[in-house]
Amino acid sequence: MQDDISGVRLSGRHHAGGGPRYEVVEPATGRTIGHVAAGTGRDAARAVDVAAAALEGWRSTPAPRRGAVLRAIAGRLRTADGLAETVARETGKCLREASAELALAADYFDWYAGLAHTLTDQVLSVRPGLRHLVRTGPVGVAAVLTPWNFPVSIPARKIAPALAAGCAVVFKPSELSLLSSLAFAEICEAELPDGLVNTVAGDGPEITGVWLDDRRVRLLHFTGSTAVGRSIAKAAGPALTPVVMELGGRAPFIVLPDADLDDAADTLMVAKFRNNGASCIAANNVWVHEDVREEFLTRLAERVSRLVPGDPLDERTTLGPVRTREMADRLEGAVAALAAAGASVHQGDGPRRDGWYVAPTLVVDPAQDRPEWREEVFGPIALVRSFTDLKEPIADASATAHGLAGYVCTGDAAAGADLLARLDVGIAGVNVATPATPEIPFGGRGDSGIGYEGGLPGLLPFLAHQSIAAPRP
Ligand code: NAD
């Protein structure tokens, strides 16, 4: 086994952290594959010092030059040797999904590199005798906190717009994906001037507390669970630190009777089982019209049976393990509880090796008042109910405070879009399982978040404007 990896990277250099020592356990085997020496609140404070010192030079770097650096980071992400394997090994997602994640991360850097070119000061003549100069610059130091399930693309979609805007970043990745996120940080550092991305692995409340107490941190940009996001947003209140929160989801997936049922089943397989079910926009509550229920379930069960659980690095694998033993226990417990409460269960291939495998599972007719139906599943288990009146799935979706994603499968795309417009969600797909791309805004409503990533809206929180009125010369 290697020496401990440093979980503190300031100004592109490793620092010995005096914080917790995290064991990196590979979910496919349950074996320890490394250790990370994490940092403390003191490292978090030093990270802000370094970022604040680097800010001025980066802010005054012409925006097109910043864009060129972002494009160079995108290039490195596309050719990074071994990073996809690290992501697959550490998170359990299949290697091709890990490669797709890196490509997506690169696309975020390219997209925000392009938007950097649009960041110019403006002179407006809007009042007689006056000239308004609107100066647009970075908010300052931005704190970025991320979850484990997309350890490269989620940091990328925060850090790319931050850098495009001219911000310096302090970054706390999840303790469950440190190898991937630290390798990503190193790629950014390789192209950036010193001090612009400073990474501190460590205890969430401790690191966040330091950053929220430091008035130089002008934005806290978080992705993770709703419970943690809520606690951070509350802690950000007294200092009025602005927050962007990308939180948990509970997406409805509605199959209408006019849908092509093969396409609908294929779409659901991606929307549900991609990333081993650990996606915030994963289909969570599947609703199929009673008229096509049996035909659809047959197609779905066939596809679930064809999934190949196994080593994420093996190219034949189509379903990897879940991230931790606790997650596997929770998911298996949920299936057992739903079955005991009367739902019927169809399972695909189960685990055939050590590690934290959960058999891909269809649970049909779970009771609507069960917590397993009401909450985010975040694993390879599809919960399916049928309906006769569209009011049922719409009422069910409206009864939750979550509002991240939604899906409909139908032969009438326009009617599908109309239906999705009735759901209070931020991102949705008609016969499409992966609606998010860097060019469009992505964000949840209600308990699913505050603000957006992606598109132009993803850049705006990182910008500060100063408007100066002066007599027109
Ligand atoms: P999590 O909330 O447990 O952790 C997220 C981050 O917060 C990690 O870096 C963690 O170390 C840190 N953290 C944990 N407790 C903290 C605390 N008390 N104070 C400060 N920081 C703390 O989430 P997770 O398990 O890593 O990720 C899964 C969740 O994230 C799911 O709910 C999923 O839906 C959500 N998610 C949302 C999106 C989105 O874009 N909306 C994307 C991916 C994941």
Side-chain angles (χ1 to χ4, degrees):
M1 200 175 298
Q2 305 164 329
D3 291 343
D4 283 9
I5 294 167
S6 170
V8 181
R9 299 185 60 85
L10 308 182
S11 267
R13 281 176 287 283
H14 289 298
H15 285 254
R21 182 172 188 246
Y22 291 118
E23 196 179 6
V24 182
V25 182
E26 180 185 32
T29 60
R31 281 201 294 269
T32 300
I33 55 170
H35 287 92
V36 175
T40 61
R42 191 178 299 180
D43 298 303
R46 281 164 63 203
V48 182
D49 293 341
V50 172
L55 181 65
E56 202 41 58
W58 188 241
R59 174 206 299 269
S60 53
T61 300
R65 170 75 201 124
R66 295 201 299 265
V69 174
L70 265 65
R71 269 189 287 276
I73 294 173
R76 279 185 186 261
L77 283 166
R78 290 201 175 90
T79 54
D81 207 18
L83 182 53
E85 286 76 5
T86 300
V87 171
R89 215 169 160 212
E90 187 176 38
T91 63
K93 71 181 70 184
C94 302
L95 187 55
R96 74 180 146 278
E97 293 175 329
S99 299
E101 178 177 350
L102 301 193
L104 180 64
D107 289 348
Y108 275 105
F109 276 90
D110 274 340
W111 166 251
Y112 284 110
L115 282 192
H117 290 263
T118 67
L119 296 174
T120 52
D121 294 345
Q122 284 183 300
V123 177
L124 302 178
S125 295
V126 287
R127 284 281 181 272
L130 277 186
R131 191 188 66 177
H132 283 87
L133 171 64
V134 181
R135 288 156 47 95
T136 296
V139 279
V141 175
V144 162
L145 288 96
T146 54
W148 68 268
N149 60 332
F150 289 97
V152 175
S153 64
I154 289 181
R157 69 195 201 188
K158 299 175 183 300
I159 291 175
L163 294 171
C167 294
V169 172
V170 290
F171 170 37
K172 195 206 87 62
S174 166
E175 57 280 12
L176 291 176
S177 56
L178 289 173
L179 301 187
S180 309
S181 293
L182 286 164
F184 161 75
E186 209 171 333
I187 285 174
C188 296
E189 293 158 11
E191 292 293 342
L192 287 164
D194 276 359
L196 289 171
V197 172
N198 304 284
T199 308
V200 184
D203 178 66
E206 183 183 1
I207 308 285
T208 312
V210 169
W211 289 346
L212 287 175
D213 277 347
D214 192 321
R215 301 309 295 255
R216 294 170 297 176
V217 175
R218 295 293 174 89
L219 176 70
L220 193 141
H221 212 293
F222 173 81
T223 297
S225 59
T226 298
V228 171
R230 203 187 295 286
S231 74
I232 293 176
K234 200 170 164 192
L240 300 178
T241 305
V243 293
V244 174
M245 295 272 149
E246 302 292 347
L247 308 177
R250 180 185 176 272
F253 187 105
I254 302 171
V255 182
L256 297 180
D258 65 349
D260 177 315
L261 296 183
D262 283 310
D263 282 354
D266 289 340
T267 305
L268 178 55
M269 290 304 289
V270 177
K272 175 73 253 180
F273 293 99
R274 180 174 72 102
N275 220 45
N276 309 328
S279 161
C280 54
I281 60 167
N284 202 74
N285 303 84
V286 183
W287 289 93
V288 56
H289 194 277
E290 191 62 41
D291 289 354
V292 292
R293 169 193 163 104
E294 291 314 316
E295 289 168 79
F296 180 70
L297 285 175
T298 304
R299 285 166 169 78
L300 195 56
E302 278 165 16
R303 285 162 174 76
V304 167
S305 299
R306 284 205 299 267
L307 283 171
V308 182
D311 181 351
L313 295 175
D314 184 334
E315 61 186 24
R316 289 164 301 184
T317 297
T318 56
L319 188 74
V322 299
R323 180 63 190 88
T324 66
R325 182 191 300 279
E326 292 69 31
M327 290 177 198
D329 290 347
R330 176 183 65 79
L331 290 161
E332 281 168 359
V335 173
L338 289 169
S344 60
V345 171
H346 168 88
Q347 289 196 308
D349 241 359
R352 283 170 299 179
R353 40 181 285 149
D354 294 342
W356 302 318
Y357 288 89
V358 172
T361 304
L362 285 187
V363 180
V364 180
D365 294 333
Q368 247 179 296
D369 57 1
R370 292 287 315 176
E372 297 82 6
W373 171 265
R374 306 232 60 80
E375 289 161 12
E376 184 180 35
V377 174
F378 218 61
I381 296 168
L383 309 181
V384 188
R385 289 180 57 85
S386 50
F387 69 96
T388 48
D389 187 332
L390 258 179
K391 284 186 189 138
E392 282 177 77
I394 292 174
D396 186 77
S398 310
T400 164
H402 286 298
L404 186 56
Y407 305 87
V408 62
C409 291
T410 171
D412 181 343
D418 286 349
L419 168 55
L420 290 173
R422 292 163 66 190
L423 300 179
D424 196 18
V425 300
I427 186 150
V430 181
N431 303 328
V432 170
T434 50
T437 82
E439 300 80 8
I440 63 158
F442 176 105
R445 300 176 180 182
D447 280 8
S448 292
I450 301 171
Y452 297 92
E453 293 177 327
L456 178 60
L459 179 66
L460 301 181
F462 295 100
L463 297 176
H465 305 284
Q466 185 186 43
S467 301
I468 302 172
R472 202 179 292 177

